[in-house]
Amino acid sequence: MIKRPRRLRGSENLRKMVRETRVDKASLIYPIFVKDGSGIKEEIPSMEGQYRYSVDRLSYALEEIREAGVRAVMLFGIPEHKDEQASQAYAADGVIQRALREAKRTFPELYYITDVCLCEYTSHGHCGMLCGQEVDNDPTLRVLAKTALSHVQAGADMVAPSDMMDGRVAAIRQILDENQFTGTPIMSYAVKYASGFYAPFRDAADSAPAFGNRRSYQMDYHNSREGIKEVLLDEEEGADIIMVKPALSYLDMVVKVKEATNLPVAAYSVSGEYAMIKAAAGKGWIDERSIVCETAVAAFRAGVHSYLTYYAKELAGYMDEGLIG
Ligand code: PBG
């Protein structure tokens, strides 16, 4: 036999030498939930090992992240008060705005991205302003833009709109530019599907819609060309990074998005992906470390440049141990 693929699998040194996909801690982004109140560090029942922190406890979380060697976080806010206008989303003393000021003061070396959406802040749990039972696109854009601006004014390094309204990237780019934040990037949740994988997050953020569902704004998972349409629109509107979400069931989209754009591509391994691994590992049915490594490397093999995951700290540790790398 002349060609023997096994020759290149003969030793660990050789396997690592010819490895096609390399992973690096610098690509990881860790999502954190910040809640109004004080003295809070509470575990999220559907996301074992993940917590909600009040602003005064946030530095514990940031310290752990820095110790693990993760450099970037994505902040989600859980306000005490929700209303129809989502007024806490853009309040100067809202939970995210206070969290940003505190985080930038205590851990200025980390990179802070904020999720820009209204579902955590509206009394009805939808991602935009309502007109009757409908989510009203254009009036929502002003509120999203105001929210993004307030995050950047409070210190956000990057904003990430996840609402799926049409035209939101343009609206956010315009307000940031008008306020001299021309250098602040936008990571667009461009290819975001209406997905059952977000259920644990909605428990965590208390953001499940009070009626209906999100299918009139998030994408139908039967579609892939529609995802490319979203990418091209967001690129035209000024997006700097494109995100695909969820990750694991949508890696085909990562490959297609990379063919369609030269912008960097991120994928978000969402709460349901995390919860499934935790639950099965808790039962002893799978080995948590192997599955976490395998699913993360799959995203990088598909081509992501950045990877958002609740397992960021663990993955950084596995890289240190040489389990993946
Ligand atoms: C806000 C938002 C959601 C997620 C990120 N931003 C929830 C949703 O769209 O319902 C989900 C993240 C996760 O499941 O980990 N719109």
Side-chain angles (χ1 to χ4, degrees):
M1 242 188 287
I2 300 202
K3 296 193 178 178
R4 288 180 183 270
R6 287 187 56 190
R7 271 187 214 121
L8 292 182
R9 299 180 200 139
S11 76
E12 185 69 358
N13 281 343
L14 180 54
R15 286 191 293 270
K16 284 191 172 163
M17 187 197 300
V18 298
R19 199 164 255 183
E20 296 174 40
T21 304
R22 308 257 172 208
V23 293
D24 190 300
K25 291 186 213 180
S27 315
L28 300 174
I29 304 169
Y30 182 65
I32 316 183
F33 298 94
V34 196
K35 184 177 174 174
D36 263 332
S38 63
I40 302 168
K41 177 192 176 183
E42 58 190 21
E43 192 169 38
I44 299 163
S46 53
M47 299 176 70
E48 200 189 306
Q50 302 301 316
Y51 299 84
R52 305 182 191 99
Y53 297 91
S54 50
V55 172
D56 60 327
R57 293 281 171 94
L58 184 59
S59 39
Y60 298 115
L62 299 175
E63 173 81 46
E64 280 177 18
I65 291 160
R66 189 188 57 185
E67 286 314 299
V70 175
R71 310 298 295 177
V73 300
M74 168 81 92
L75 294 173
F76 291 95
I78 310 170
E80 180 93 65
H81 171 73
K82 303 184 189 235
D83 56 32
E84 293 216 344
Q85 282 68 46
S87 57
Q88 285 300 303
Y90 48 84
D93 63 346
V95 61
I96 282 294
Q97 291 78 0
R98 281 183 290 112
L100 281 164
R101 286 193 290 266
E102 177 67 9
K104 287 291 250 190
R105 190 179 62 77
T106 47
F107 292 90
E109 66 277 31
L110 298 179
Y111 193 86
Y112 296 97
I113 310 169
T114 57
D115 182 85
V116 176
C117 194
L118 305 183
C119 59
E120 298 108 298
Y121 302 90
T122 50
S123 40
H124 46 74
H126 276 288
C127 300
M129 301 291 104
L130 290 188
C131 180
Q133 302 274 93
E134 296 291 316
V135 175
D136 204 356
N137 195 88
D138 299 9
T140 301
L141 299 181
R142 280 192 298 279
V143 186
L144 290 167
K146 238 184 348 185
T147 302
L149 177 62
S150 77
H151 291 179
V152 176
Q153 284 170 333
D157 296 304
M158 182 189 291
V159 288
S162 68
D163 52 281
M164 289 300 279
M165 298 302 123
D166 295 334
R168 80 273 172 75
V169 173
I172 293 173
R173 187 71 270 158
Q174 186 185 344
I175 203 170
L176 293 184
D177 289 357
E178 282 166 3
N179 286 273
Q180 280 70 56
F181 294 113
T182 51
T184 304
I186 300 173
M187 171 159 63
S188 174
Y189 287 71
V191 188
K192 175 168 176 176
Y193 287 93
S195 168
F197 283 103
Y198 311 145
F201 173 96
R202 292 178 190 167
D203 278 348
D206 184 24
S207 65
F211 62 88
N213 54 53
R214 303 211 199 289
R215 280 182 231 137
S216 76
Y217 38 104
Q218 299 178 350
M219 284 196 315
D220 178 350
Y221 58 73
H222 297 75
N223 299 345
S224 66
R225 293 169 69 251
E226 187 186 9
I228 304 305
K229 179 167 80 182
E230 289 283 2
V231 169
L232 297 179
L233 279 172
D234 285 3
E235 180 165 7
E236 263 172 51
E237 290 178 28
D240 300 282
I241 300 177
I242 294 296
M243 191 203 293
V244 173
K245 175 187 174 198
L248 195 54
S249 306
Y250 297 88
L251 295 181
D252 58 323
M253 290 309 296
V254 170
V255 177
K256 289 186 178 144
V257 170
K258 283 191 77 181
E259 285 164 6
T261 178
N262 289 319
L263 298 180
V265 179
Y268 192 154
S269 179
V270 297
S271 55
E273 300 178 49
Y274 176 85
M276 288 197 307
I277 297 176
K278 273 284 171 206
K283 293 231 176 219
W285 292 343
I286 57 170
D287 173 52
E288 185 175 22
R289 289 157 58 101
S290 336
I291 302 298
V292 171
C293 289
E294 214 171 305
T295 49
V297 170
F300 287 101
R301 194 180 60 236
V304 299
H305 303 100
S306 320
Y307 187 54
L308 295 104
T309 170
Y310 300 97
Y311 276 118
K313 288 182 289 183
E314 287 82 354
L315 276 167
Y318 303 152
M319 292 178 197
D320 286 338
E321 288 174 47
L323 223 58
I324 49 172

